[in-house]
Amino acid sequence: FSSRRRHTRCSRDWSSDVCSSDLKVDLITDIWGAFSYTTEKAYLIETIFKKLKPGGKAFILLNPLKTPAEVISEGESLDLSTWLGKKYPNLFKVYDSPGQDTPFAHIIEITKPKTGSDEISLPLIMKERSTRTTPSGFQYPEVVYTEKTNSQ
């Protein structure tokens, strides 16, 4: 997994590589890969974080217009990338995409600290899951999470 590039639109193929591998890697990139086509975005972020070596980085492209992932936190509705950047500023940095084809997209940079926990548990509960179909027949997942509170 760490020594080869995998370009696929099938999230099952890519995520099975990540989830089944015991390898720790320095760099993971996901540009229109598994992250864009799954409703299990929180789980995939946790898995990617776990698979990084200490000091490793991952870069994920998230276009909220194409693959919406919303978090409802303290009565506020945020897209997932903005929520990650606010909740965990030391682990997640969010950048606007420089691409003209993706003007509303965000690049999420995940940095695993050189010391500390090997895992992260995002306090999210999936509230809704749906699929949007484009006029050309392509299906995009939409997901809405709520942030867990102490009482949940």
Side-chain angles (χ1 to χ4, degrees):
F1 167 68
S2 63
S3 64
R4 62 190 162 109
R5 287 181 162 204
R6 182 87 183 234
H7 298 286
T8 180
R9 288 203 176 248
C10 179
S11 62
R12 187 175 316 152
D13 291 345
W14 187 90
S15 61
S16 65
D17 277 357
V18 172
C19 298
S20 66
S21 172
D22 288 333
L23 296 174
K24 299 285 184 177
V25 297
D26 292 311
L27 178 66
I28 298 172
T29 58
D30 184 31
I31 307 300
W32 302 120
F35 194 79
S36 296
Y37 297 96
T38 182
T39 56
E40 302 294 333
K41 293 180 186 333
Y43 170 75
L44 198 52
I45 287 173
E46 291 170 349
T47 302
I48 288 170
F49 186 86
K50 183 177 183 179
K51 296 300 176 181
L52 289 172
K53 288 181 181 177
K57 291 185 180 279
F59 295 89
I60 299 170
L61 180 69
L62 175 61
N63 186 338
L65 296 178
K66 286 192 174 182
T67 56
E70 175 187 3
V71 177
I72 299 171
S73 172
E74 299 177 7
E76 185 178 18
S77 177
L78 302 169
D79 65 78
L80 178 61
S81 54
T82 301
W83 179 82
L84 288 167
K86 283 184 170 186
K87 184 85 174 171
Y88 303 100
N90 295 333
L91 302 178
F92 300 98
K93 289 190 173 77
V94 181
Y95 305 96
D96 290 335
S97 171
Q100 292 179 340
D101 294 337
T102 55
F104 301 105
H106 296 142
I107 297 171
I108 303 170
E109 176 186 343
I110 303 171
T111 303
K112 188 169 195 172
K114 292 187 187 250
T115 59
S117 176
D118 196 39
E119 297 187 27
I120 185 172
S121 179
L122 299 177
L124 297 173
I125 300 170
M126 191 177 300
K127 182 179 173 188
E128 295 176 34
R129 182 188 314 200
S130 61
T131 304
R132 182 174 26 153
T133 304
T134 66
S136 62
F138 196 80
Q139 295 186 334
Y140 289 104
E142 296 179 310
V143 62
V144 177
Y145 293 101
T146 56
E147 186 173 1
K148 289 180 189 176
T149 62
N150 291 336
S151 63
Q152 292 176 306

